[in-house]
Amino acid sequence: MSTPVRSAPAAPPESLLRDLNEEQRAAVTHDDGPLLIVAGAGTGKTTTLAHRVAYLIASGTPAGRILLLTFTRRAADEMLRRTDDLLRRAGREDDASAERLAGARVWGGTFHAVAARLLRIHGESIGLPPGFTILDRGDSEDLMHAVRTGLDLGAGARRFPQKGTCLDIYSRCVNAAEPLSHVLETRFPWCKDSAEGLTRLFSAYVDRKEQAHVLDYDDLLLFLRGMLADEALGGIIRDRFDAVLVDEYQDTNAIQADIVGLLRPDGRGLTVVGDDAQAIYSFRAATVRNILDLPERVPGVTVRTLERNYRSTAPILDATNAIIAEVSERYDKALWTEREGGARPTLVTCRDEAEQTAYLVERILGHREEGVDLKQQAVLFRATHHSLDLEVELQRRDIPFVKYGGLKFVEMAHVKDLVAFIRLAENPRDTVAALRVLGLLPGIGPRTAATLAEELADAGGDCEAWVGRTVPEATSAMWPGFVALMRTLASAPAGDVAAQLHAARAFYAPLCAERYDASPARLADLEQLEMLGSRFSDRSRFLTDLTLDAPQWTGDFAGPPLLDEDHLVLSTMHSAKGLEFDVVYVIHAADGNIPSDMATGSPAEIEEERRLFYVACTRARDVLYVTHPLRYYHAGRGRTDSYGYAQRTRFIPDRLRPLFAEGQAGGDTAADETAPVVRATTASIRANVRSMWE
């Protein structure tokens, strides 16, 4: 392998540093020793990391030898966009730097996307066929279900976990590096009796993926770690990079931490950024131990802390600093701001959920009248059902809102159908794609589809095995055209993605119209998918990007024009991470909701719930409300009048209450001085009662 040409060390233009505060500058200009940047909420984490990348490039590190790992494609794109802007500005202001900084291209993306890219390059070295395909969550569940059915695990006298739960258990074992027995004991106790069956299921699931030349999300990380752990191949991959930077390190799981460690065994050139106070994704197998234990795992690491907050007012920071200070183990930091003024956060006691809803609507509209747009206000909650009562009232009042969540574009059935044609052409051993495509044809059931898929795999993916094949009568008219389509797709040039999608769409359109309602809108989605395909140079890259960086929504036909484009934001606390708003309402701050009664089984779970509450409160720039309903009605079948009283969240103990302005929703109504004088007495009332039997 040829030795890469490295730029000579150079003095970076001062323009790269002039907008940074002292803490940020120290982090950005750090040498190539291992560096941990503990970036508090609102302290300019993205700014610092983007400047760090630009500084490395301006100092002579070739952009193509820098690896930036993030958790979302959006974060990677934003980081690289800022880096490009910084380098362009530096080039304009320093003619000597212009040529050296032009055209910088950093290796940037999510852990899974980078893993897929490296597997495409080096996969054959470990026996991975170049035509492997990647299963998304739904596809993985379908394959798990097929294996579960084949093993007849659902036929016993006891219930056996459904496919989604089975995949959750499998993924937890893999990503947390925990044995099945421990995962069942701590996370899925209701499935403990199924341990023996799950062991057989997971072994067969792994074998089926190997036979079908497919990888699921977990495999991408496992295989990358495996390549890096190999002495020869790991050295080749490590030699690609001079610097590795990791965003949101507190969100890494055990495998991702291993990957980072294997990429930089001695820590040289490693920069990780994160905030232990915002580690809130243990349900995804992330562990706060990765960032807390980094100084032990990487000896000699320098820890730089960012404490200047650019988001919130001082009273909000005083309250949130006190909330997070209750965490038993953390990096010491006290966020501060130069923003002057601001009111204390308000802790509002409500009689019940209905009064909480009335109070919220009143304050939301009040702030709107004061000039705060609805989209600059957010209602945050621990669980998605906590907003249902509020949603009903917002609809009744005709107040527009957006709730974070929903079905992703590629999870739509018709989109998955069309993509399955392309996946099968790319990898004829992809059983999930074969069963999905064959199942679309009239007259073909699961058993026949499985037989046909097996015949195709046995023929090495040659569709000639299907030519002249006897099929059910209902299928016979469509079968020749289907076989011709698959032969065309299999032999098509790899780069002509749009043409392949067009051919598959032409065949599939009548099946879609017959199978689903609202077919015009669905067919329009498929046209958009074809247009998307034209942006890709080959079929493999199209399928990989569509799986790992899927569009988040799909549209329907345009309805009546929305003249008021403003809307309130409703969001779970987890989904709000990384966002900020002028006014934030954290609702249902009652113990059992915050923290969730499903997450109080251990001190570690309670600590994470405290961090989650902290994350929610630190989303506020100017105004923060925390509302606490006292009375909760029993949520059984039907409506009921039985209720109980709830304690205020344990995360605001009495010693922290002075940091909040306290208020009550509703309040007593003053007596009407013109009301008539009441003549009834207890004696007269009791006399009326006695008259019923005397």
Side-chain angles (χ1 to χ4, degrees), residues 364-483:
I364 289 165
L365 293 177
H367 281 294
R368 181 175 180 271
E369 289 302 309
E370 294 166 4
V372 182
D373 291 342
L374 292 177
K375 60 189 174 186
Q376 291 302 329
Q377 303 185 56
V379 180
L380 308 183
F381 34 85
R382 176 62 180 86
T384 186
H385 66 270
H386 287 164
S387 67
L388 296 182
D389 189 75
L390 175 60
E391 291 176 46
V392 171
E393 184 63 13
L394 292 173
Q395 289 172 336
R396 190 183 73 81
R397 299 278 200 102
D398 198 25
I399 299 173
F401 66 89
V402 170
K403 186 173 182 178
Y404 280 82
L407 196 62
K408 294 181 180 179
F409 179 76
V410 294
E411 292 171 352
M412 298 291 183
H414 56 293
V415 175
K416 290 179 73 70
D417 289 346
L418 184 60
V419 171
F421 285 91
I422 309 302
R423 281 178 47 197
L424 184 58
E426 178 70 8
N427 178 12
R429 294 180 181 271
D430 188 338
T431 309
V432 175
L435 293 177
R436 187 174 196 103
V437 167
L438 291 165
L440 295 171
L441 305 179
I444 292 185
R447 191 180 301 275
T448 303
T451 301
L452 290 167
E454 187 176 345
E455 290 175 359
L456 180 65
D458 290 344
D462 189 350
C463 294
E464 291 295 328
W466 283 345
V467 175
R469 173 66 157 79
T470 301
V471 293
E473 184 178 353
T475 319
S476 57
M478 186 169 282
W479 184 252
F482 168 70
V483 174

Side-chain angles (χ1 to χ4, degrees), residues 26-42:
V28 167
T29 59
H30 182 76
D31 58 27
D32 70 342
L35 172 65
L36 166 60
I37 304 173
V38 180

Side-chain angles (χ1 to χ4, degrees), residues 64-84:
R65 297 186 60 78
I66 296 175
L67 174 61
L68 174 62
L69 293 168
T70 66
F71 278 86
T72 66
R73 176 70 171 269
R74 185 191 68 174
D77 289 346
E78 172 65 12
M79 212 84 70
L80 296 179
R81 183 192 64 78
R82 291 196 189 192
T83 300
D84 287 344

Side-chain angles (χ1 to χ4, degrees), residues 398 400 556-566:
D398 198 25
D556 202 336
F557 289 123
L562 179 61
L563 300 181
D564 185 353
E565 294 183 353
D566 199 10

